[in-house]
Amino acid sequence: MRCCTAVAVVAALGIMSTSASLAADKKYDPGASDTEIKIGQTMPYSGPASAYGTQGRTEAAYWRMINSQGGINGRKITLLSMDDGYSPPKTVEQTRKLVEQDEILADIGSLGTPTNSSIQKYLNGKRIPHILISTGASKWNDPKNFPWTTPFYPPYAQEAKIYGKYILKELPNAKIGVIYQNDDFGKDYLKGFKEALGEKADLIVKELSYEVTDPTIDSQIVNLKTAGADVLMTITTPKFGAQAIRKVTDLGWKPTHFIVSVASSIGGVLEPAGLEASTGLITALATKVVGDPAWDSDQGVQDYLAFMKQWYPEGNPIDGSNQIGYTSAQFTAIILKNCGDVLTRENVLKQATNLGKVSLPLFLPGITVSVTPMDYSTFDTFKLAKFDGKTWKFFGENLSTASR
């Protein structure tokens, strides 16, 4: 049976079109034809960041839904989503295969900061769109040096500034302990956090890093507690976020605990860590909280839940990675639809970098994303939320770090 609510989402986004207004002259690069648009990506379906893999499965499910309804501008979407194990050398290997053997039109939605870093120069050198990558490192907003790479994730440094500003206002005498992943992902968050603290950066009494290949971060959490921290800033991916939450509880430690949005998924992090142990966590989000009764009557949330039930029933709808995959696929659909019959790599990039104030169904009210040829950043507005043992509850106003 066809999912009516999902159809409504498709119609609302204007994905399918047979309009006579489409350009009469068709232009194709490798990966595109009258009947198909072939795109590729890499995902950590295995390895230390495998919790993120469900994001790629959601995207694949979305394209199955779109294809069942006629595709985009009459063309079916073929998504080649390859496992890189969150290992940069494997990312390079899989990406070269996607480009040189599978001949994809564009690399869309590949996940991870270290992994995307390993292929950025290669894809830009070959003028292959490397767009909507799932990482919020500030380095991706560099249209001058890497015009073919664009992000689609709340910028880490901007999000971190929200936490820093909140601490300065509400916890001016804090003793802060920081745990962060020792790569561009973690360092970006740390940089933004310290910038927001400014001359009060000495509130940080200890900062410790970990490697993504480490089995646990238990010793770091113990050391941060021993240092006397009463505020904990956890900058981790999901696996280590769950470890931090559990260890804090095991120690009987009760700091004011901030956790970055990357590790804030209820289904992917908080449930495995323990909902009781997660109570009181603070994060900053740009999207609605699926599973919170406050959003039960929201049309965007209802459509998402209907999509998951029909097209990806084995997926956990309250896992934030699934919500990101759904939203990323919707944004991709807008770009491809706007390409019309000019399915060249140059036009894909043009459409991806000329989008103003796009609002998608799972965004919080008032939050939009914009991309221009001179500024590839997307999200710049967040809202703080505290976990109450069941769901994230928003508090305060939308907080913006926008400079534009």
Side-chain angles (χ1 to χ4, degrees):
M1 182 173 66
R2 184 181 293 261
C3 176
C4 296
T5 51
V7 173
V9 172
V10 176
L13 290 174
I15 292 171
M16 295 187 299
S17 175
T18 56
S19 171
S21 64
L22 292 176
D25 294 330
K26 298 178 180 179
K27 295 182 181 179
Y28 298 134
D29 272 347
S33 69
D34 284 347
T35 59
E36 180 189 38
I37 301 173
K38 188 189 301 182
I39 58 178
Q41 63 178 205
T42 53
M43 280 281 160
Y45 293 114
S46 63
S50 59
Y52 287 133
T54 190
Q55 181 173 325
R57 296 184 181 98
T58 302
E59 293 178 44
Y62 192 86
W63 295 124
R64 289 196 299 272
M65 180 189 73
I66 294 300
N67 288 341
S68 76
Q69 299 164 4
I72 294 179
N73 296 334
R75 299 174 179 88
K76 299 295 179 71
I77 306 301
T78 298
L79 171 64
L80 302 177
S81 189
M82 313 296 286
D83 182 18
D84 66 2
Y86 204 66
S87 168
K90 187 67 172 178
T91 308
V92 172
E93 176 188 338
Q94 296 285 41
T95 301
R96 291 182 68 94
K97 179 180 182 298
L98 287 169
V99 171
E100 297 169 19
Q101 296 180 33
D102 299 314
E103 296 190 314
I104 57 172
L105 178 65
D107 185 303
I108 304 181
S110 289
L111 187 143
T113 300
T115 46
N116 276 290
S117 295
S118 70
I119 58 176
Q120 185 180 27
K121 289 183 179 179
Y122 169 74
L123 290 172
N124 275 257
K126 286 193 166 291
R127 299 171 67 86
I128 308 289
H130 179 213
I131 62 174
L132 307 190
I133 61 177
S134 192
T135 155
S138 58
K139 64 187 289 183
W140 309 124
N141 184 17
D142 189 4
K144 179 179 178 180
N145 295 307
F146 295 101
W148 294 84
T149 299
T150 73
F152 186 69
Y153 203 93
Y156 302 146
Q158 301 305 321
E159 179 190 332
K161 289 178 181 178
I162 299 296
Y163 306 125
K165 290 179 179 179
Y166 177 81
I167 290 171
L168 288 178
K169 181 179 179 181
E170 302 295 336
L171 303 165
N173 298 313
K175 296 177 181 178
I176 307 169
V178 180
I179 176 73
Y180 69 97
Q181 188 163 298
N182 189 28
D183 59 13
D184 286 343
F185 154 74
K187 292 175 182 177
D188 234 43
Y189 266 116
L190 184 61
K191 178 183 177 183
F193 186 58
K194 287 183 174 179
E195 286 179 354
L197 292 175
E199 61 183 18
K200 294 290 186 178
D202 59 359
L203 291 175
I204 299 175
V205 296
K206 198 172 192 64
E207 60 185 64
L208 295 172
S209 66
Y210 72 92
E211 303 297 330
V212 72
T213 52
D214 289 348
T216 77
I217 56 171
D218 286 358
S219 64
Q220 288 95 324
I221 299 300
V222 170
N223 287 334
L224 291 172
K225 178 179 184 294
T226 302
D230 56 17
V231 171
L232 176 60
M233 183 72 242
T234 295
I235 302 170
T236 67
T237 48
K239 169 186 171 182
F240 298 102
Q243 287 184 8
I245 295 166
R246 284 197 298 266
K247 192 60 180 178
V248 166
T249 300
D250 291 345
L251 293 171
W253 187 20
K254 298 187 181 298
T256 301
H257 193 171
F258 295 85
I259 193 163
V260 295
S261 64
V262 170
S264 70
S265 168
I266 296 174
V269 178
L270 276 54
E271 284 185 346
L275 296 180
E276 184 176 351
S278 302
T279 301
L281 287 171
I282 298 173
T283 195
L285 301 172
T287 58
K288 299 166 185 174
V289 179
V290 177
D292 183 343
W295 299 102
D296 282 353
S297 60
D298 180 83
Q299 189 63 53
V301 171
Q302 290 179 352
D303 290 346
Y304 164 73
L305 291 173
F307 158 78
M308 290 294 290
K309 182 177 181 180
Q310 178 167 354
W311 294 98
Y312 186 22
E314 63 274 28
N316 183 352
I318 66 172
D319 187 331
S321 290
N322 290 326
Q323 298 162 37
I324 292 169
Y326 178 77
T327 300
S328 179
Q330 288 181 327
F331 204 65
T332 301
I334 292 173
I335 293 169
L336 295 179
K337 183 262 180 181
N338 288 347
C339 285
D341 283 346
V342 183
L343 287 163
T344 62
R345 289 163 173 162
E346 184 176 352
N347 195 36
V348 170
L349 179 66
K350 177 181 177 181
Q351 301 305 325
T353 56
N354 285 275
L355 293 163
K357 294 188 178 300
V358 175
S359 177
L360 292 176
L362 291 185
F363 287 0
L364 285 171
I367 290 183
T368 61
V369 296
S370 298
V371 189
T372 72
M374 301 302 294
D375 186 354
Y376 286 1
S377 63
T378 47
F379 301 87
D380 56 34
T381 304
F382 306 84
K383 195 163 188 173
L384 286 169
K386 180 177 287 189
F387 191 69
D388 69 355
K390 294 182 179 179
T391 189
W392 289 107
K393 293 295 186 183
F394 293 101
F395 62 93
E397 302 298 319
N398 287 358
L399 302 173
S400 176
T401 58
S403 59
R404 54 183 172 174

